[in-house]
Amino acid sequence: MCGRFVITSAPAALRQLFGYVEQPNFPPRYNVAPTQPIPVVLIENGARHFRLMRWGLLPTWVKDPRGFTLLINARSETVLEKPAFKNAIRRRRGLIPSDGYYEWKTEGGRKQPFFIHRADGAPLGFAALFETWAGPNGEELDTVAIVTAAAGEDLAALHDRVPVTISERDFERWLDVSGNEVDAILPLMTAPRSGEFAWHPVSTRVNRVANDDEQLLLPISAEEMEAEAPKPKKAGRKATAGPADDGQGSLF
């Protein structure tokens, strides 16, 4: 799956890579989380455009978002049948610019975060599906989910799911929804080739959405991982809850 990612490339570099007409200026983000607005590239009126959408897809048929599960990912194996995605996969496909993402692996009874990125350091485009949800009072909300696939042999060491990444040569094929057909894009919804991505352990500071700085990307040593491991609680002491983290934030 993909539950956190980063955007660190310069806005001009991303605009050149993805070819959208807008010229947005935005700061780097090191800990993008669900419910936040994220950049999505789509084709509209024959040209590529940059749009902000809420990460967490809401199908058009949802009446009350408060009672609907947040759909941050869409499984590639079932997007053609699932009611939440079967229209979007044919008519509303997008790309999410990124420079990598985080995944958590259970090691020694605790979850260790890893930063995963292209081995060559280049930015990438997550395959995405989007919908515009219309509320009862006329309000509209653009929402998006990241497509995932079963992990390949190498990345499966961290997690059994990975985000689908679209190569630059296939951007146009993925974004083109003019024919309302899916046969051409089905081969794109696969895991990255073995060796295409690299990863390293990072600090558990990434667990908290409020932490959003470049230090999150730095590799940590085995000694540092051990230092971050939860300490055994002393008998007779009541644990004090830390500050609440509601997972909200703003991309820009």
Side-chain angles (χ1 to χ4, degrees):
M1 63 173 293
C2 179
R4 301 279 182 86
F5 68 93
V6 307
I7 309 172
T8 56
S9 290
L14 292 178
R15 180 174 184 260
Q16 181 177 11
L17 175 63
F18 289 92
Y20 43 78
V21 298
E22 291 78 15
Q23 300 183 47
N25 187 25
F26 47 86
R29 287 296 312 276
Y30 300 94
N31 201 3
V32 182
T35 75
Q36 296 179 354
I38 63 175
V40 179
V41 180
L42 66 151
I43 288 184
E44 188 174 77
N45 297 323
R48 294 186 194 177
H49 292 274
F50 175 104
R51 295 283 185 273
L52 287 180
M53 300 185 185
R54 191 199 72 162
W55 186 10
L57 186 140
L58 277 177
T60 55
W61 41 263
V62 170
K63 301 300 182 184
D64 185 357
R66 294 172 297 180
F68 189 77
T69 303
L70 194 67
L71 300 176
I72 64 171
N73 294 151
R75 295 175 70 93
S76 60
E77 300 90 341
T78 57
V79 289
L80 295 179
E81 294 82 30
K82 289 290 185 181
F85 306 120
K86 65 181 183 180
N87 290 325
I89 189 62
R90 289 179 167 83
R91 302 184 182 94
R92 287 172 288 279
R93 296 191 297 268
L95 292 166
I96 296 173
S98 172
D99 289 273
Y101 65 101
Y102 299 103
E103 192 55 82
W104 282 256
K105 179 184 179 181
T106 300
E107 294 184 330
R110 58 188 286 265
K111 289 187 175 181
Q112 173 61 47
F114 288 79
F115 176 57
I116 305 168
H117 56 92
R118 281 180 55 101
D120 60 8
L124 52 95
F126 292 138
L129 307 176
F130 62 90
E131 288 282 7
T132 299
W133 179 79
N137 299 316
E139 67 271 31
E140 291 188 344
L141 180 64
D142 292 329
T143 66
V144 66
I146 296 173
V147 180
T148 67
E153 185 176 356
D154 56 349
L155 285 168
L158 299 180
H159 198 277
D160 61 351
R161 305 292 299 179
V162 294
V164 170
T165 53
I166 307 297
S167 64
E168 183 179 2
R169 66 178 179 273
D170 293 318
F171 282 178
E172 194 67 21
R173 177 153 56 128
W174 175 259
L175 292 174
D176 183 11
V177 294
S178 58
N180 197 24
E181 299 293 336
V182 295
D183 290 347
I185 57 96
L186 292 180
L188 302 180
M189 293 192 292
T190 58
R193 299 185 307 275
S194 182
E196 187 175 351
F197 278 70
W199 57 89
H200 58 260
V202 295
S203 170
T204 54
R205 290 183 60 244
V206 73
N207 296 352
R208 182 167 171 76
V209 175
N211 294 327
D212 187 359
D213 57 77
E214 59 185 344
Q215 301 298 313
L216 297 179
L217 304 184
L218 297 180
I220 65 171
S221 65
E223 291 76 15
E224 290 170 320
M225 284 192 283
E226 183 64 27
E228 289 190 343
K231 302 299 185 293
K233 296 178 181 177
K234 293 183 179 180
R237 277 195 168 185
K238 188 175 181 180
T240 302
D245 181 3
D246 63 3
Q248 302 294 321
S250 173
L251 181 63
F252 302 123

